[in-house]
Amino acid sequence: MVAIKDHLRELGLFAGLIAVTLTSLVWAFSTMGGLATERNARAELLDTLKRIDPKASAASAGIFDQRDPYLAGESETIAAAGFQTRVRGLVENAGGTIFSTQAQSRSEGDEVERKIEVQVVFETTVEALQTVLHEVETGAPYGFVDDLSVLPAAQVGETSNDDRMLRVTLSVTSFWRRPA
């Protein structure tokens, strides 16, 4: 009688093990179905993004920014001049009036990456300043705003018919890499 009870208990444990295994398999298959549905929805969203904005779809697909983050130039001086021209162009294209610009190297020693700073003083509107700041920080080569000073143009001795004009001092940094 004891042997029959042991066999029944073992049979019960075996049946329980089979039930747990079957439940786990059903749960795994249902989860996989949900993941497949989510993957299909994301693929459809990516296709929609590709049609709307190819640049956004590249970013969402995990493609890294292929733009060169460093200033172009055979020498540090040429790179600084090019960076100064770029910043001046951004201000002028946004409708700003430039009063002065200055480019200088901020790196010392024998570093491979050289820090170049451009400081520009200009007068502009709030909207144009937003455009300049956006272009500096999102364009390539990468620019980093180190210092920004904004005053109403009338406070610095300039007379202006438009109260929204601003006198801006902007310091932007970028990097030049010495050719190998």
Side-chain angles (χ1 to χ4, degrees):
M1 193 78 147
V2 175
I4 293 175
K5 285 183 181 180
D6 288 340
H7 287 304
L8 287 177
R9 187 169 31 122
E10 290 171 359
L11 186 61
L13 288 174
F14 183 67
L17 182 62
I18 289 175
V20 169
T21 302
L22 288 176
T23 304
S24 297
L25 286 173
V26 168
W27 176 80
F29 282 122
S30 67
T31 301
M32 286 177 46
L35 291 175
T37 303
E38 183 179 346
R39 185 191 74 233
N40 291 338
R42 287 183 182 212
E44 289 176 20
L45 180 61
L46 181 59
D47 289 340
T48 303
L49 283 174
K50 285 180 181 177
R51 286 190 300 274
I52 295 171
D53 185 5
K55 290 181 182 176
S57 66
S60 67
I63 299 172
F64 293 105
D65 191 351
Q66 299 294 320
R67 299 177 297 175
D68 189 5
Y70 295 102
L71 295 170
E74 298 164 3
S75 70
E76 187 174 359
T77 305
I78 293 172
F83 186 44
Q84 182 176 6
T85 301
R86 176 176 177 257
V87 173
R88 286 182 63 94
L90 292 175
V91 171
E92 290 170 350
N93 289 340
T97 304
I98 296 177
F99 295 108
S100 68
T101 60
Q102 178 183 4
Q104 57 187 322
S105 174
R106 292 289 182 188
S107 298
E108 297 179 7
D110 196 28
E111 298 173 4
V112 174
E113 294 178 357
R114 307 292 289 187
K115 185 176 183 179
I116 296 174
E117 178 186 31
V118 169
Q119 185 178 54
V120 59
V121 178
F122 60 101
E123 194 170 281
T124 192
T125 63
V126 171
E127 293 83 11
L129 177 58
Q130 289 174 336
T131 301
V132 169
L133 292 174
H134 179 267
E135 291 298 321
V136 163
E137 292 200 332
T138 61
Y142 302 139
F144 304 95
V145 176
D146 289 332
D147 191 28
L148 175 65
S149 172
V150 180
L151 298 170
Q155 284 188 354
V156 291
E158 295 290 321
T159 58
S160 175
N161 294 336
D162 187 0
D163 293 334
R164 296 177 356 150
M165 293 301 288
L166 304 171
R167 176 67 63 101
V168 179
T169 303
L170 175 66
S171 294
V172 182
T173 299
S174 192
F175 292 88
W176 172 77
R177 178 178 272 177
R178 182 177 303 138

